[in-house]
């Protein structure tokens, strides 16, 4: 395998880690006021992601950094052409992070409520816009001969892209509801399971429609089994949540999101940024760094990635216990 192809696959793996882990973070934020009927319950909901949310965002930074180093042309075109949606995502992530850190700084209902609203808004916007962005990348965007984006923001809001945004939003809502059920007890767990059951069919229907549209219009033959795998994983997640086996449901939900990433990146290859005019597309060949740069990056990745994965796995193991509402001091926040 050539190094540029290897790094295309590694970037797909990084996006898989980000969307699986940050996906339930977004879901938790979106469910905050729906599942958390009281301040104590909202503290418990936020406590489920308190020890891990900032570590989950490292996957995004790593994916962006790897794209910049391995495929600078892709990075430049992507961030210049998608400037407004990516800026909105960045602002939303900042607002959400500040909300998670600042919510518990004052024992004031008004203060806490405002930051809870910020957390929710900062979760809904990326959940929607990441789907819109990836759908546009798969569909193709207007590029000129110099690989410069020539479209507009409104041009990115096609029916296919909006369906992609709705699909990721529903996936993350379901993912987050199951995660809350996995990490809580009592009435809060029962409420999360109830919403996870309600979300199962809409998530399967919308995600299936988006996946089928992607496969038929933009993908290749070998990704048909991937689409079937995603459908089976979503079905298994729904069946598990009906049986109150939230651990299995969460596992299948993770596999479904991973399958969606494989479908999207499989649809792209060998392009990294398809153009509406195929001759202007960016590919793993014309967008990559030099072989020497890719070789050095590979050595660094082989040396450091296992330690990062081991540390994050250890973090999840340490904070694996369920959260209960009664154990939280009213004066404390989610951390």
């Amino acid at each position: 395998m050539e190094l540029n192809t290897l790094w295309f696959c590694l970037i797909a793996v990084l996006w898989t880690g980000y969307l699986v882990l940050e996906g339930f973070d977004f879901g938790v934020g979106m469910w905050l006021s729906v599942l958390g009927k009281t301040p104590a319950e909202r503290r418990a909901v936020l406590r489920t992601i308190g020890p891990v949310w900032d570590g989950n965002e490292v996957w995004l930074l790593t994916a962006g950094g790897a794209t910049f180093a391995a495929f600078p042309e892709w990075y430049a075109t992507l961030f210049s052409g998608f400037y407004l949606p990516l800026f909105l995502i960045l602002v939303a992530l900042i607002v959400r992070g500040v909300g998670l850190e600042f919510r518990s700084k004052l024992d004031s209902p008004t203060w806490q409520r405002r930051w809870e609203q910020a957390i929710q808004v900062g979760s809904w916007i990326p959940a929607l816009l990441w789907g819109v962005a990836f759908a546009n990348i798969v569909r193709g965007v207007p590029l000129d001969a110099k690989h410069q984006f020539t479209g507009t923001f409104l041009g990115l809001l096609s029916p296919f892209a909006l369906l992609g945004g709705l699909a990721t939003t529903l996936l993350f809502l379901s993912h987050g509801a199951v995660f809350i059920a996995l990490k809580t007890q009592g009435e809060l767990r029962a409420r999360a399971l109830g919403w996870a059951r309600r979300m199962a069919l809409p998530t399967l229907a919308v995600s299936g429609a988006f996946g089928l549209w992607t496969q038929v219009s933009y993908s290749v033959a070998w990704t048909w089994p991937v689409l079937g795998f995603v459908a089976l994983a979503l079905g298994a997640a729904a069946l598990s949540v009906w049986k109150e086996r939230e651990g299995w449901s969460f596992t299948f939900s993770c596999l479904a999101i991973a399958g969606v990433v494989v479908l999207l990146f499989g649809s792209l290859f060998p392009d990294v940024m398809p153009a509406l005019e195929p001759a202007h597309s960016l590919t793993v060949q014309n967008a990559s760094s030099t072989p020497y740069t890719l070789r050095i990056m590979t050595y660094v990745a082989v040396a450091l990635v296992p330690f990062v994965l081991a540390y994050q796995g250890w973090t999840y193991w340490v904070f694996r216990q369920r959260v209960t509402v009664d154990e939280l001091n009213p004066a404390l926040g989610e951390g």
Side-chain angles (χ1 to χ4, degrees), residues 33-301:
S33 63
V34 177
L35 296 179
K37 301 298 185 182
T38 66
E41 288 182 344
R42 289 192 289 274
R43 285 196 299 273
V45 170
L46 292 176
R47 185 71 175 268
T48 63
I49 61 171
V52 298
W53 70 268
D54 48 355
N56 293 343
E57 291 192 348
V58 172
W59 289 83
L60 174 61
L61 299 177
T62 309
T67 303
F68 173 76
F71 300 100
E73 286 278 352
W74 183 15
Y75 182 93
T77 301
L78 177 65
F79 279 80
S80 60
F82 288 24
Y83 180 84
L84 182 55
L86 291 177
F87 176 76
L88 291 174
I89 290 173
L90 178 61
V91 171
L93 292 176
I94 292 172
V95 169
R96 174 174 162 272
V98 172
L100 288 166
E101 292 291 342
F102 275 47
R103 178 195 170 276
S104 60
K105 299 304 182 184
L106 289 180
D107 189 16
S108 164
T110 301
W111 170 273
Q112 294 177 0
R113 197 64 178 169
R114 292 291 181 267
W115 286 118
E116 288 167 1
Q117 292 169 351
I119 293 168
Q120 291 174 88
V121 172
S123 299
W124 278 96
I125 291 175
L128 174 66
L129 291 184
W130 279 130
V132 172
F134 274 104
N136 273 289
I137 293 173
V138 169
R139 183 177 68 99
V141 293
L143 301 178
D144 62 19
K146 296 182 178 180
H147 308 305
Q148 298 296 313
F149 180 79
T150 58
T152 63
F153 175 72
L154 292 179
L156 299 176
L157 303 180
S158 66
F160 176 72
L162 293 175
L163 182 62
L166 182 59
T168 54
T169 302
L170 291 175
L171 279 170
F172 294 157
L173 277 169
S174 296
H175 199 42
V178 172
F179 181 77
I180 293 171
L182 179 65
K183 292 290 291 180
T184 57
Q185 297 179 0
E187 186 177 349
L188 192 55
R189 171 180 175 267
R191 200 178 298 145
L193 281 172
W195 276 106
R197 293 188 186 106
R198 295 185 187 97
M199 294 300 303
L201 185 57
T203 300
L204 181 58
V206 173
S207 300
F210 174 68
L212 189 60
W213 192 344
T214 301
Q215 180 64 48
V216 171
S217 299
Y218 307 108
S219 200
V220 291
W222 72 263
T223 55
W224 274 109
V226 177
L227 180 60
F229 173 82
V230 172
L232 289 174
L234 288 174
L239 182 61
S240 299
V241 82
W242 275 101
K243 293 184 176 181
E244 298 189 1
R245 300 294 299 274
E246 58 266 32
W248 280 108
S249 183
F250 182 73
T251 300
F252 287 123
S253 180
C254 291
L255 292 174
I257 294 174
V260 170
V261 178
V262 174
L263 174 63
L264 295 175
F265 275 80
S267 302
L268 277 176
F269 188 81
D271 293 336
V272 293
M273 179 70 79
L276 297 180
E277 175 58 48
H280 299 162
S281 295
L282 285 168
T283 69
V284 294
Q285 299 293 337
N286 64 20
S288 69
S289 293
T290 64
Y292 178 76
T293 300
L294 296 177
R295 188 163 57 251
I296 296 299
M297 289 175 61
T298 304
Y299 294 150
V300 173

